[in-house]
Amino acid sequence: MDDVTTRIETALETALRTATGAGDCPPQLAAAVRHAVFPGGGRVRPRLCLAVAAACGDDAPAISTAAAVSLELLHCASLVHDDLPCFDNAATRRGQPSVHYAFGERLAVLVGDGLITLAFEQLAHHTQSHPERLVALTKIVGRSVGISHGIVAGQAWECEPRVELTDYHRQKTAALFAAATEAGAAAAGQPSQLWYTLGEQLGLAYQVADDIRDVASTPEAIGKPIGQDVAHQRPSATTDLGLDGAMARLKTLVETASASIPHCPGADRLRQLIQHEMRRLLPAELAQWVITE
Amino acid sequence: MDDVTTRIETALETALRTATGAGDCPPQLAAAVRHAVFPGGGRVRPRLCLAVAAACGDDAPAISTAAAVSLELLHCASLVHDDLPCFDNAATRRGQPSVHYAFGERLAVLVGDGLITLAFEQLAHHTQSHPERLVALTKIVGRSVGISHGIVAGQAWECEPRVELTDYHRQKTAALFAAATEAGAAAAGQPSQLWYTLGEQLGLAYQVADDIRDVASTPEAIGKPIGQDVAHQRPSATTDLGLDGAMARLKTLVETASASIPHCPGADRLRQLIQHEMRRLLPAELAQWVITE
């Protein structure tokens, strides 16, 4: 594992051990929470958060780590609830049984609720020395999952008769990416707003890539069923724009993201990191086409 | 409406209007969130929080109001998820259709998630002037809903083969009451720990009263179906102790609560308020027996 991976996995491990290890936590809930968080996927959001924190000086690494953990826990929570029978009814996730499939629907609902709560607790447990950063981080993280602009809103658009594709993706996926870049800056005590566009564009790019994978990959390669967007009649970039159109959109988004990085000592290093991460996320033939160095 | 009621209802109204009014919030989600919060029940937790804040001087009313709102939103979230088909499958709540019954299961899951998030956001939006209180409040509130000691843990005990009644009630109900008294003190900048027992004992009392109502009241009087504990084979004080035993336990809990109030300028007034609230919550014949002035 590289240093960043170790930092993220160790912090997630500690957060879960503290939350479930007290003896008051029902054993099945503890197991289900663990199942939702380990093994992880790409840990894309916490990596992005820490990359921005590093570019901003990362003067309080305990806070940026907590922010990274918080984002990943919220992401895991959204996956668990997304997989529920009333939504995607997905039997597998990250190559293993989904939480409700392995532990039942009740525990899956509770795991999501518990992880959302734990995400906010994590922020508070590591900001005692800089409480004003907790105010900023809670607002950033809250907005990215919440009712008005966040994951919950994005998901709820699926229940509406009409939805604008970009609005939907902006809330369902890009909001948490934007929170990742903003939280990285806020955790390092820097103004966060300049970092919004980077996260938002990367998030939209990631969602388009996900839509492309849903039609152009295999269940083995992505660890979950394919063809879900069509099966659930969900808005999708490939349905809307065709495969070529979706690829062109992806390229534009990644370029806009890269160009938006604010002037700071770590800007060049961050730009390289982002290209590296995007390459890691995309199937090889896509990466070559989208990322131009 | 008395002043406290007005303060709570106005603040809840503002919180929801801000969260759902931006135009980015899907219309059905906005309606479902509203349905979950209005009309309210007894608003017992926010009233308790504000009563303790007042006893502690309430030097920053915007913060104590935010804490009160946060607790009520979390309570509403837990009710919405509790009513889901995989849990109680309740068709009514507070005398109206439950959220999943009126808006479908998907929106009910999302309403719960959104309200949990909004609860933490509310705290951050009103603590800019005293950020160190946000640290304390987030910890208090988080613990009361979370995986290890909170509502989520309490609810998850229902999925275990064996459960200790008092542990179960302590997490499922008393945790949020203890958070209400602790948060009231913390919102006023006072140490919170001394206030834990008051909330915990009142919460246990409230749960025992709820168990008693479930066997000894009518659906019209309590706005939800009765006989649910037996129907769902849930742990209950009346099942465990019989009706007389449960009544005796309730009396002890209320007395312990009252005796635990820390020495402070507002202690006497608070003691009166609590007796008033308990009387409001219990059927008349129970109140007379339990509350001795």
Side-chain angles (χ1 to χ4, degrees):
Chain A
M1 289 201 278
D2 63 45
D3 287 356
V4 172
T5 305
T6 306
R7 183 173 166 189
I8 293 167
E9 298 304 319
T10 307
L12 284 168
E13 184 68 57
T14 306
L16 257 61
R17 207 173 42 238
T18 311
T20 64
D24 295 344
C25 179
Q28 287 190 73
L29 176 65
V33 164
R34 213 184 155 72
H35 187 89
V37 178
F38 298 106
R43 307 295 195 206
V44 185
R45 295 150 194 83
R47 295 175 78 85
L48 183 58
C49 174
L50 292 179
V52 171
C56 291
D58 202 16
D59 70 340
I63 301 182
S64 53
T65 302
V69 163
S70 170
L71 294 160
E72 183 64 17
L73 296 178
L74 290 167
H75 174 56
C76 293
S78 80
L79 296 181
V80 174
H81 282 184
D82 237 21
D83 287 342
L84 282 170
C86 66
F87 288 108
D88 289 3
N89 197 17
T92 57
R93 167 67 71 178
R94 292 171 174 170
Q96 61 177 353
S98 61
V99 173
H100 76 89
Y101 199 83
F103 293 90
E105 207 174 330
R106 294 188 296 170
L107 280 167
V109 171
L110 294 171
V111 164
D113 295 356
L115 288 176
I116 296 171
T117 304
L118 188 59
F120 289 100
E121 286 184 279
Q122 278 295 302
L123 297 175
H125 280 292
H126 298 280
T127 44
Q128 201 92 40
S129 59
H130 294 284
E132 73 291 350
R133 296 191 193 176
L134 179 60
V135 176
L137 287 169
T138 304
K139 287 183 184 174
I140 290 168
V141 167
R143 197 179 52 220
S144 77
V145 252
I147 292 167
S148 49
H149 308 282
I151 297 176
V152 165
Q155 191 79 2
W157 278 115
E158 291 180 16
C159 306
E160 295 288 337
R162 265 196 73 248
V163 46
E164 172 65 45
L165 184 68
T166 307
D167 289 349
Y168 167 68
H169 280 175
R170 184 165 284 125
Q171 295 180 338
K172 189 175 175 188
T173 304
L176 200 55
F177 276 76
T181 51
E182 286 198 288
Q190 298 299 314
S192 59
Q193 285 182 326
L194 290 174
W195 292 92
Y196 181 86
T197 305
L198 172 63
E200 184 202 40
Q201 298 291 303
L202 286 178
L204 291 173
Y206 185 76
Q207 182 63 55
V208 173
D210 201 52
D211 289 353
I212 292 172
R213 282 199 301 267
D214 190 57
V215 299
S217 192
T218 63
E220 294 70 31
I222 60 173
K224 61 180 180 181
I226 62 164
Q228 292 298 297
D229 293 335
V230 170
H232 297 283
Q233 300 184 300
R234 273 188 309 223
S236 150
T238 52
T239 316
D240 256 40
L241 308 169
L243 188 55
D244 284 357
M247 293 273 279
R249 175 149 169 71
L250 180 56
K251 190 173 163 67
T252 307
L253 288 165
V254 174
E255 285 167 0
T256 312
S258 209
S260 80
I261 294 175
H263 182 72
C264 68
D268 284 344
R269 170 98 185 101
L270 180 60
R271 209 164 276 126
Q272 285 164 11
L273 257 174
I274 285 167
Q275 286 178 341
H276 176 75
E277 289 286 319
M278 288 307 290
R279 186 167 291 120
R280 225 167 58 96
L281 291 175
L282 295 171
E285 69 282 12
L286 270 179
Q288 203 167 10
W289 193 81
V290 169
I291 314 269
T292 47
E293 273 165 290
Chain B
M1 287 200 281
D2 63 44
D3 286 353
V4 173
T5 305
T6 306
R7 183 173 166 190
I8 293 168
E9 298 303 321
T10 307
L12 284 168
E13 185 67 59
T14 306
L16 256 61
R17 206 172 43 238
T18 311
T20 64
D24 295 344
C25 179
Q28 287 190 72
L29 176 65
V33 164
R34 213 184 154 72
H35 186 91
V37 179
F38 297 106
R43 309 292 195 206
V44 185
R45 294 151 195 83
R47 294 175 79 85
L48 182 58
C49 173
L50 292 179
V52 171
C56 291
D58 203 15
D59 70 339
I63 301 183
S64 53
T65 303
V69 163
S70 170
L71 293 160
E72 182 63 18
L73 295 178
L74 289 168
H75 173 57
C76 293
S78 82
L79 297 181
V80 174
H81 281 184
D82 238 20
D83 287 342
L84 283 171
C86 66
F87 288 108
D88 290 2
N89 197 18
T92 56
R93 168 68 70 177
R94 292 170 173 170
Q96 61 176 354
S98 61
V99 174
H100 77 90
Y101 199 83
F103 294 90
E105 208 175 328
R106 293 188 297 170
L107 280 167
V109 171
L110 294 172
V111 164
D113 295 355
L115 289 175
I116 296 172
T117 303
L118 188 59
F120 289 100
E121 285 184 279
Q122 278 296 301
L123 297 175
H125 280 292
H126 297 280
T127 43
Q128 201 92 40
S129 59
H130 294 284
E132 73 290 350
R133 296 192 194 176
L134 179 60
V135 176
L137 287 168
T138 304
K139 287 182 185 176
I140 290 166
V141 167
R143 196 180 51 220
S144 77
V145 252
I147 293 168
S148 47
H149 309 283
I151 296 177
V152 165
Q155 191 79 2
W157 278 116
E158 291 181 17
C159 306
E160 296 287 337
R162 266 195 72 246
V163 46
E164 172 63 46
L165 184 68
T166 308
D167 289 351
Y168 168 70
H169 280 175
R170 185 164 283 128
Q171 296 180 337
K172 190 174 174 186
T173 305
L176 201 55
F177 276 77
T181 50
E182 288 199 287
Q190 298 300 313
S192 58
Q193 284 181 326
L194 289 175
W195 293 92
Y196 181 87
T197 305
L198 172 63
E200 184 201 41
Q201 298 292 304
L202 286 178
L204 291 172
Y206 184 76
Q207 181 63 55
V208 173
D210 201 54
D211 289 353
I212 292 171
R213 281 199 302 266
D214 190 58
V215 299
S217 192
T218 63
E220 294 70 32
I222 60 173
K224 60 182 180 181
I226 62 163
Q228 292 299 296
D229 293 334
V230 170
H232 297 282
Q233 299 184 302
R234 272 188 308 223
S236 150
T238 51
T239 316
D240 256 40
L241 308 169
L243 188 55
D244 284 356
M247 294 273 279
R249 174 148 171 71
L250 181 56
K251 190 172 163 68
T252 307
L253 288 165
V254 173
E255 285 166 2
T256 312
S258 210
S260 80
I261 295 176
H263 181 73
C264 67
D268 284 344
R269 168 101 186 98
L270 180 60
R271 209 164 276 125
Q272 285 165 11
L273 257 174
I274 285 168
Q275 287 177 341
H276 176 76
E277 289 286 319
M278 287 308 290
R279 187 168 291 119
R280 226 167 56 95
L281 291 175
L282 296 170
E285 70 281 12
L286 270 179
Q288 204 165 9
W289 192 81
V290 169
I291 314 270
T292 47
E293 272 164 294

